[in-house]
Amino acid sequence: MQQIPLPHTTLKGSRLILGCMGLGGGWAPDTLLTKAHEKEARDFLEAGLELGANFYDHANIYGAGRSEEVFGRILKEQPGLRDDLIIQSKVGIRWADNPKGTPQRFDFSRKHILEALEAVLRRLGTDHLEILLLHRPDALWDPEEVAEAFALLKAQGKVRYFGVSNQNRFQMEYLQSFLPDALVANQVEMNLLHSGFAEVGISFNQSAALYPDGWEGTMEYCRMNKVTLQAWSPLARGVLTGDLNDRPENVKAAAALVRSLAKQHETTPEAIQLAWLLKHPAGIQPVLGTSKPERLRACVKALDVELSREEWYSLFAAGRGRPMP
Ligand SMILES: NC(=O)c1ccc[n+]([C@@H]2O[C@H](COP(=O)([O-])OP(=O)(O)OC[C@H]3O[C@@H](n4cnc5c(N)ncnc54)[C@H](OP(=O)(O)O)[C@@H]3O)[C@@H](O)[C@H]2O)c1
């Protein structure tokens, strides 16, 4: 797999990022890690490395911490492997009852960022992350506190680069004004069924515009400032290759077009969906979600697909359920 220079860094990362949310047995807080979870993580990482993927995405909440923990166990089995990887994680979301009696909330306080990062490093068994993202905007955030936490983590060598997730242009611009170094990434949902990033541009000045998910100016800000857009749920969680019986008409139409283009391009439906994101000139990096080696292989075929402008717009129109205005 092609490795590309990541803007504002000295890193070279695989064009596709491998998401680790599926590792460690799901969201339940009290699940225990088993040998089966370890085997799943080992097989996933081995398949990823075989395909040339060196960039892995985590968050402190995935699998209630077990996604990082099981990944860390596999790293420990293979000394030297850590140095070949780009590990990214996220902090800032706090589930309810943590500690007991607390509500679900977001937390960009200096204290939480620092404490959560220590726990991330402990679970992964590493002394640093290449990239730390703030997971989801905190309504009570104080960017000065974020900047202090980032400065300390960088000075201590615990995090090399910083970015955000699920933030709009104004939030990024505001945070950036407090930081000495450029934000390197914004991780946002982008797929054929969640295409606000493309919708927002074509909706301007239209009387029957579709809701653009608050994307106003975000694509342009990222492109102007070389903030890499990372696409989470790039396959819309497998909906377009799953059971379509109770799905709305646009989903059925998009799935049919994806299948037909896969046939024409002699590739997989997963590759067509990812090629749709890869064609965008912003250099979007999809964050794959599958933990299954055979699905990873189906996804990586996207790197050999070049969609035409006409195919790109046909897919966009099918997913949004309306032709272009
Ligand atoms: N920043 C954020 O707020 C945020 C939010 C969500 C996710 N993420 C990141 O983005 C990554 C991807 O998210 P996602 O899991 O929603 O992405 P996705 O790639 O759209 O969906 C993958 C999920 O769909 C299932 N699936 C069903 N059919 C599939 C097929 N044919 N091909 C591939 N997967 C299929 C997979 O199950 P199997 O594992 O059984 O294949 C997996 O659970 C996560 O791992 C995480 O790193 C970030």
Side-chain angles (χ1 to χ4, degrees):
M1 187 183 323
Q2 185 196 3
Q3 296 200 346
I4 50 170
L6 303 180
H8 304 299
T9 79
T10 57
L11 305 171
K12 279 183 107 181
S14 44
R15 187 74 176 84
L16 301 173
I17 301 172
L18 267 49
C20 298
M21 191 171 77
L23 302 180
W27 296 98
D30 43 8
T31 306
L32 290 178
L33 278 181
T34 63
K35 292 282 167 209
H37 296 129
E38 286 179 13
K39 180 176 181 334
E40 179 188 45
R42 192 179 300 113
D43 291 350
F44 166 77
L45 197 49
E46 274 171 11
L49 293 170
E50 221 174 273
L51 293 164
N54 69 338
F55 196 163
Y56 292 82
D57 179 67
H58 283 272
N60 65 337
I61 56 168
Y62 294 164
R66 291 183 304 276
S67 307
E68 290 175 335
E69 195 178 332
V70 75
F71 195 91
R73 287 189 192 181
I74 307 309
L75 286 182
K76 205 169 168 190
E77 291 174 359
Q78 302 184 38
L81 175 58
R82 169 68 187 95
D83 295 341
D84 296 335
L85 303 184
I86 295 174
I87 304 184
Q88 168 176 279
S89 192
K90 317 180 197 78
V91 298
I93 295 180
R94 303 186 72 172
W95 292 140
D97 279 327
N98 184 12
K100 189 133 192 71
T102 51
Q104 183 173 336
R105 61 219 185 273
F106 305 112
D107 194 341
F108 286 4
S109 65
R110 181 182 188 276
K111 181 173 186 293
H112 178 69
I113 293 172
L114 296 178
E115 285 177 1
L117 189 275
E118 286 302 327
V120 166
L121 297 182
R122 198 166 52 243
R123 284 190 293 267
L124 287 166
T126 185
D127 59 0
H128 73 284
L129 290 181
E130 274 67 29
I131 305 175
L132 175 69
L133 305 183
L134 295 176
H135 205 158
R136 207 166 252 293
D138 172 12
L140 297 177
W141 73 324
D142 175 353
E144 284 180 351
E145 274 198 44
V146 173
E148 274 176 38
F150 283 6
L152 192 60
L153 291 173
K154 188 168 175 185
Q156 292 172 335
K158 292 178 178 171
V159 177
R160 292 185 63 190
Y161 305 103
F162 299 89
V164 297
S165 177
N166 303 303
Q167 289 204 9
N168 66 29
R169 172 249 164 101
F170 303 106
Q171 292 163 323
M172 275 186 285
E173 202 170 9
Y174 183 43
L175 175 58
Q176 186 62 74
S177 72
F178 290 86
L179 303 176
D181 300 319
L183 291 168
V184 301
N186 185 15
Q187 191 178 106
V188 195
E189 180 170 7
M190 289 187 257
N191 59 57
L192 275 174
L193 303 178
H194 194 97
S195 53
F197 72 95
E199 192 65 42
V200 64
I202 61 153
S203 288
F204 175 68
N205 212 24
Q206 295 291 329
S207 45
L210 295 181
Y211 175 62
D213 293 338
W215 264 88
E216 287 87 351
T218 304
M219 174 61 77
E220 290 77 7
Y221 180 85
C222 289
R223 290 181 74 176
M224 269 192 322
N225 293 286
K226 297 195 176 4
V227 180
T228 302
L229 280 161
Q230 301 178 353
W232 61 264
S233 290
L235 297 178
R237 302 169 197 82
V239 165
L240 295 169
T241 43
D243 178 3
L244 295 166
N245 273 334
D246 294 324
R247 298 292 183 189
E249 283 315 306
N250 70 310
V251 176
K252 290 180 180 165
L257 184 56
V258 163
R259 274 198 308 276
S260 139
L261 288 172
K263 217 169 184 177
Q264 280 174 46
H265 284 266
E266 299 181 349
T267 189
T268 61
E270 291 82 1
I272 296 295
Q273 295 174 70
L274 295 167
W276 187 73
L277 293 169
L278 293 172
K279 184 171 177 68
H280 196 283
I284 294 167
Q285 276 192 289
V287 187
L288 308 183
T290 184
S291 42
K292 306 249 168 16
E294 66 278 14
R295 284 186 173 156
L296 279 182
R297 287 188 270 274
C299 290
V300 169
K301 289 183 191 297
L303 299 170
D304 301 320
V305 177
E306 179 65 40
L307 294 175
S308 67
R309 179 176 287 267
E310 290 66 34
E311 290 168 333
W312 193 91
Y313 269 101
S314 302
L315 284 163
F316 181 24
R320 74 197 284 270
R322 287 197 224 172
M324 289 306 111

